[in-house]
Structures are given as C-alpha cells and as structure tokens.
C-alpha cells in the first residue's frame, strides 16, 4: 500500500540592497539550518502555503515571484515534496517569528549555501544559484535584433536615395 505524500512549500527569500541577502532559519526542534518552508494546510494552495511559511519563519512581508523548483525526500518512510518560489522580502521585520524558529540569518549567497544543514537543500540552492535573482536584462539576441533592425533601416534609406533621379 502506497503511503500518502506530504506536501510542503517554501521560499528562497531575498532582501534586496547593495548586496542581496538570503534568509536561512534555524529550527528550534533540532537546531538545523534550513530554507523557510513548511507543510501545507488542508486544501491550501502551494503558493499560498509558501507565502505563509516565509512570513511566519522570517517575520517579514514577502512578495512571491516565480516558481524555482521542488525537492523530494523521505520522512519516516513517507515521501515529502517541497515546492519553492523566489520571494522578495521587506527591509524590516513586520511580524513576530513563529516559536518553531530559533534564529534567522540574512546571508550573502555563498554563506547561505554553506550554512544550510541538509545536502539536498544546499544542492538545490546552488543549482538555482543567482540566476533567479539577477535583475532581468535584455540578452544578446535582443541586442542583435536591434542592430539588425537598424541595419535594415539604413539599407532601405540608401536604396531610396539611389532611386531618386536628379535632372
């Protein structure tokens, strides 16, 4: 008989500023450092659960951005699936942190990866990397299209000037 899957959600919570800081939280029950995450309530949508858990565990308001991926592992013989979203945090804490959390640290990316207790979470954060947290820039394809459009405009204007006959 297959056991039921435990569904959870969380966030990679980032404070913007001169240097981005990533939230890692220490659980009270075992002292391990993890990303803000937790089990979903009955009939709770994963994105809503992720926001709730991030707010409860970091004490800050968050703005949920894009979905980053999921990790899966076994807990007491049952499969657990945790979905993560990128989240931007408010600058200052706005709520009290839940008593399940002993401490919160806001760390630069490399230190946040190093602080995490579980290898799977370290691997996940490293894999997501900074790519989901860089400001969106227009890529080389966009620049090439712009250059190409300018070149075509120049060609059209020179063709027109050639077709004009002077007397």
């Amino acid at each position: 008989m297959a056991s039921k899957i435990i569904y959870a959600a969380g966030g990679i919570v980032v404070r913007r500023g001169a240097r981005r800081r990533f939230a890692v939280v220490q659980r009270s029950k075992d002292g391990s450092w993890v990303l803000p995450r937790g089990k979903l309530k009955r009939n709770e949508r994963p994105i809503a659960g992720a926001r709730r858990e991030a707010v409860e565990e970091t004490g800050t308001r968050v703005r949920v951005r894009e979905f980053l991926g999921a990790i899966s592992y076994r807990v007491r013989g049952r499969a657990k699936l945790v979905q993560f979203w990128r989240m931007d945090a408010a600058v200052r804490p706005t709520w009290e942190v839940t008593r399940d959390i002993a401490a919160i640290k806001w760390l630069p990316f490399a230190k946040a990866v190093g602080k995490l207790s579980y290898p799977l979470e370290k691997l996940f954060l490293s894999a997501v990397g900074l790519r989901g947290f860089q400001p969106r820039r227009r890529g080389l394809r966009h620049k090439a299209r712009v250059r190409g459009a300018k070149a075509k405009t120049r060609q059209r204007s020179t063709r027109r000037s050639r077709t004009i006959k002077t007397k």
Side-chain angles (χ1 to χ4, degrees), residues 10-64:
I12 296 178
V13 184
V14 180
R15 273 194 186 151
R16 304 262 178 197
R19 292 183 65 197
R20 286 183 181 81
R21 303 289 179 167
F22 292 75
V24 290
V25 297
Q26 184 180 34
R27 294 191 303 207
S28 299
K29 70 179 182 180
D30 60 3
S32 57
W33 289 92
V34 296
L35 295 169
R37 60 186 165 86
K39 289 186 244 178
L40 298 177
K41 294 180 178 179
R42 182 184 296 270
N43 298 324
E44 185 176 36
R45 301 188 92 186
I47 195 167
R51 174 182 281 122
R52 177 182 52 77
E53 287 292 337
V55 169
E56 287 176 1
E57 295 188 0
T58 64
T60 60
R61 284 179 299 147
V62 295
R63 171 178 255 160
V64 178

Side-chain angles (χ1 to χ4, degrees), residues 1-5 74 77-79:
M1 181 174 165
S3 60
K4 283 190 167 186
I5 296 174
R74 296 194 79 69
R78 292 176 64 188

